[in-house]
Amino acid sequence: MPPPPSPPPSSPPATRRRPVGAVDLTPRPGTAPAPPGAYYGYTQAPAETPVETTTRLRPVKTRHPARTAAAAACVVLGLGLIGGAVTGSWLTGNSAAEPGADDAYTVGRSAWHSVPVDTLFPRTLKGEGAGPGATDRAWTRVAVASDSGCAAGLDPLLLKALRPVGCARMVRATYTDATHSSVTTVGMVFTEGDAAKMSALSTRFTDQRLGARADLMPRTYPAEGTVAEGFGDGQRASWTVHVLTEVPVVVFAVSGFADGRGVAEPQPAAAAMASGATTTPAQAGLGHEAEGIADRVERTLRKTVTDLTEKPE
C-alpha cells in the first residue's frame, strides 16, 4: 500500500510587523531580563556630573556676507574709539579721569595741612620797600598757633561776614620787627567756597568797605613767653583783610605795639599808610607792618599753590 501523502508544510506563524522606527523591547532568547531602563543588555549610562553637563546647540545659520562685513566694521570702529580715548588720556595727563584734581582751589583748600608750616609762615620775612617812605623792613616769626576753627581768631561780626564761604580751617602766626617794637599776627582762613562765592565775597568787601570796619578787625595771637605776650585785643592798632579769588583763602593781619601799649583808635592799614596820615598807628608805621606781612604771606601761598598745580612739561 502506498504511504499516505505527507501533510502540506505548515505556514510560518504570522508575525506582526512593527511600525517603521519602532524599537523592539522584547528580550532576546537566552538573555536575562534587562534591568529597568536598559535596552538589549546596554545599561543606562551614569548620570552626568555638573561639569560634564552640556546644552544641545542649535544649528547656526550661515552668515550673510554683508552682515559679516558690517560686524567687522563695527569692531574696527570700536577699537579705534577706545584707542583714541586711551591716547588722549595719555596726552592730557589723564585729566579727564580726575577732573579738577590738581586745580588751585583743590590744592589751596588743603594747603593748611599739606604744606609745611615753615613754608606757609617762613621764619623770616623780607620787606624790601615795605616800610614808611619805601624803607626796607624785616620780620621774624616768634610763634605759630595750632590750626583751629575760625571762632578763635575772628570777631563774631567778621566770622558772620565770612559765613557765605564757610570756614574749613584757620592758621595763624605772630611776627615782630627787627627792633622788637611792634608785633603782628597774620592768619589765613581756608574756606569752603568755590570760585564764584569767593569772587562775590571779594566784591562785597570792596564795595561795602568791610575791610575798613573796626568791628570786623581780626584778633591777635599773644603767645606766652614771647615779645607778643601782651598783645591782646586792646593793643590792636592797624589791620588788613585780603579776600583772594584764585585760591579759597582769606588772608588777614593785625599789628600793635610790642610793649603792650593800648590803642584807643585803631586804623585800617590802607588809611594808616596814606600820605599825610598823622594818627598813632600811621606815625608808628603799624599800617605798613600789617600790610607788609600779610602781603608776603599771601605771595608765598600763591607761589606754593602754583608750584603744586603746574604739570611738568
Side-chain angles (χ1 to χ4, degrees):
M1 234 181 125
S6 300
S10 58
S11 302
T15 59
R16 189 173 182 180
R17 190 172 182 179
R18 295 192 304 272
V20 177
V23 179
D24 188 0
L25 302 180
T26 304
R28 295 181 181 177
T31 61
Y39 299 93
Y40 289 105
Y42 293 94
T43 58
Q44 184 176 5
E48 293 176 334
T49 62
V51 176
E52 296 168 338
T53 302
T54 59
T55 303
R56 180 172 295 178
L57 301 177
R58 297 181 178 179
V60 180
K61 297 181 179 180
T62 303
R63 292 184 179 273
H64 192 279
R67 293 181 179 176
T68 303
C74 290
V75 171
V76 173
L77 179 60
L79 292 175
L81 292 175
I82 294 173
V86 173
T87 303
S89 177
W90 289 342
L91 294 176
T92 59
N94 201 25
S95 59
E98 298 178 3
D102 295 330
D103 64 21
Y105 266 66
T106 302
V107 174
R109 185 171 287 115
S110 62
W112 67 270
H113 66 82
S114 63
V115 176
V117 65
D118 286 346
T119 300
L120 292 176
F121 300 118
R123 293 180 180 272
T124 59
L125 293 171
K126 294 182 179 181
E128 297 179 357
T135 57
D136 294 340
R137 308 290 282 178
W139 301 281
T140 303
R141 192 186 73 196
V142 297
V144 177
S146 301
D147 63 274
S148 65
C150 287
L154 304 180
D155 279 347
L157 284 180
L158 180 55
L159 187 62
K160 182 178 180 180
L162 300 182
R163 190 170 297 165
V165 295
C167 172
R169 213 64 181 161
M170 182 183 68
V171 292
R172 296 180 295 164
T174 297
Y175 287 82
T176 186
D177 68 332
T179 64
H180 290 198
S181 60
S182 68
V183 287
T184 302
T185 293
V186 60
M188 289 182 280
V189 175
F190 292 84
T191 77
E192 300 169 344
D194 56 16
K197 290 182 178 180
M198 292 300 295
S199 179
L201 182 65
S202 177
T203 301
R204 182 186 174 201
F205 260 73
T206 300
D207 293 347
Q208 300 181 15
R209 298 178 54 83
L210 299 183
R213 287 177 49 171
D215 57 352
L216 299 181
M217 187 167 31
R219 287 177 175 167
T220 66
Y221 175 55
E224 294 183 4
T226 70
V227 67
E229 187 171 8
F231 186 34
D233 287 350
Q235 286 69 44
R236 294 179 293 184
S238 190
W239 75 97
T240 185
V241 179
H242 299 175
V243 179
L244 309 186
T245 56
E246 60 270 54
V247 288
V249 177
V250 176
V251 178
F252 63 85
V254 57
S255 62
F257 293 104
D259 59 6
R261 193 186 323 171
V263 178
E265 296 183 4
Q267 189 175 27
M273 294 170 62
S275 177
T278 59
T279 62
T280 298
Q283 291 183 343
L286 294 178
H288 290 81
E289 298 292 299
E291 185 65 38
I293 292 177
D295 179 69
R296 269 60 183 181
V297 169
E298 180 181 321
R299 290 185 194 180
T300 300
L301 175 65
R302 282 180 168 144
K303 183 180 184 303
T304 300
V305 172
T306 299
D307 291 343
L308 292 174
T309 53
E310 284 183 345
K311 293 182 175 63
E313 296 181 359

